[in-house]
Amino acid sequence: MPDPVWQTLAKMPYAFGGPAGSGVIRSTPDDFQVDEDLGFEPDGEGEHVLLHLRKRQTNTIWLAAQIARLAAVPKRDVSYAGLKDRHAVTSQWFSVRLAGQPEPDWRELVSAQIELLRAERHRRKLRPGALRGNRFRLLIRELNADSGVLEQRLQQIRQTGMPNYFGEQRFGHGYGNLEQAGALFERRPGRIDRKLRGLLISAARSQLFNTVLVARISQGSWGEPISGDYMNLAGTRSGFAIEQVDGEIQRRCLEMDIHPTGPLWGRGRPPVTGAALALEQVALEPYDSFRNGLEHVGLEQERRPLRIVISDLCWSFTDGQNLLLEFSLPAGSYATVLLRELITVDDTGLK
């Protein structure tokens, strides 16, 4: 059984004082639009085909199965970088391994819900997380908030970034993935398939990260370096450890060139020392069973930035009651985390 002290995202602290009002999202699928940015172009040759599809109110896993059926290949030969919300309009990439098989007419996928944008050959399989990020266009209706307060909040987020919490989607309904992760780590009887096992491990890892981020927000240092931090180089997976915070480190952090990080737990020594290590040890002390479990499944220690920069964040108020947001996020970050810093959301599309 997981430790009975999990804090849900809804109860975790805000960086900017809490919601400034309320609003409704996903009144229609068109109100929530997401476009994947692969960050690279297809090779033009190879045994895989990269399909770029725009889907409306369509489940990613269901669509992958339709692609496999059309191509007459096993479902395992169809892959994608990440799941996309069914209650939205999203453009998404899929890869299909044909390996000598004839290429079907991909136009047979087209329907009122599916649009074929591109089909290009590629040498490699598209793997989970293998994209630069996502571009969002969100319309919030029935806005009940002071537009001046929201304008100030949006300016703050554009200038200072926002906390890089993992969103609630990561944890399953009612945070049930964490309970199942506890059963997995305690080796309780029950068969768990490989895909579900990966989801449970990711949920446990994500909750530990969020717990450390809570401590940094409470301390006021989620966007600032502290002694012993491990700093991420913006836009990369690289970083470096610092012993003390000097003027140069402060300047680079203020300019969004580097970001403080939190743990993605696994085997090995954390790369932090001093005040950063002490804070993480205190925050994670109650979760010894989850840390041990993550180490025993073979994961290595990694780091994730504590904040996200949203330099292209744009907004406009329309019809006096609506707010249109446009922005990009790196892979693995959540639009719902941005929304929670702005308003209390009525997510009509999920009812």
Side-chain angles (χ1 to χ4, degrees), residues 64-78 96-106 108-109:
Q66 304 313 301
I67 294 169
R69 186 174 67 175
L70 176 61
V73 300
K75 290 181 181 179
R76 66 176 178 272
D77 286 342
V78 178
V96 189
R97 182 176 181 267
L98 293 179
Q101 295 201 184
E103 187 168 345
D105 183 354
W106 301 114
E108 292 185 32
L109 292 168

Side-chain angles (χ1 to χ4, degrees), residues 286-326:
Y287 311 120
D288 193 54
S289 63
F290 273 69
R291 285 183 290 158
N292 288 338
L294 290 167
E295 291 169 20
H296 283 110
V297 298
L299 294 173
E300 301 292 336
Q301 285 269 343
E302 297 179 89
R303 303 293 290 185
R304 170 181 167 96
L306 293 174
R307 69 175 175 183
I308 319 166
V309 177
I310 317 178
S311 57
D312 64 349
L313 175 61
C314 300
W315 60 89
S316 60
F317 295 92
T318 62
D319 301 328
Q321 286 189 312
N322 301 330
L323 171 62
L324 178 64
L325 298 174
E326 295 183 83

Side-chain angles (χ1 to χ4, degrees), residues 87-152:
H87 305 280
V89 175
T90 64
S91 69
Q92 183 170 9
W93 290 88
F94 295 81
S95 73
V96 189
R97 182 176 181 267
L98 293 179
Q101 295 201 184
E103 187 168 345
D105 183 354
W106 301 114
R107 290 174 296 181
E108 292 185 32
L109 292 168
V110 174
S111 68
Q113 286 76 39
I114 309 297
E115 179 184 355
L116 175 65
L117 302 176
R118 289 179 68 182
E120 304 282 349
R121 286 279 176 168
H122 195 59
R123 291 191 182 95
R124 295 174 298 281
K125 175 182 180 178
L126 188 60
R127 299 192 179 276
L131 71 159
R132 177 183 292 158
N134 296 286
R135 178 73 182 168
F136 295 86
R137 186 180 189 274
L138 311 183
L139 182 63
I140 303 167
R141 299 182 186 270
E142 300 178 34
L143 188 65
N144 182 17
D146 185 310
S147 61
V149 174
L150 272 180
E151 182 95 29
Q152 183 180 29

Side-chain angles (χ1 to χ4, degrees), residues 13-32:
Y14 299 91
F16 303 102
S22 63
V24 176
I25 65 171
R26 286 190 269 222
S27 296
T28 72
D30 295 279
D31 289 353
F32 203 101

Side-chain angles (χ1 to χ4, degrees), residues 259-280:
H259 310 291
T261 64
L264 295 176
W265 201 264
R267 294 183 303 191
R269 277 188 167 186
V272 291
T273 58
L277 177 61
L279 179 144
E280 293 183 12

Side-chain angles (χ1 to χ4, degrees), residues 27 35 48 55 58 128 161 193 240 250 261 318 339:
S27 296
D35 296 304
H48 299 272
K55 60 187 185 65
T58 303
D193 69 42
F240 59 93
Q250 287 179 324
T261 64
T318 62
L339 289 175

Side-chain angles (χ1 to χ4, degrees), residues 54 162 265:
R54 178 174 288 118
M162 73 176 192
W265 201 264

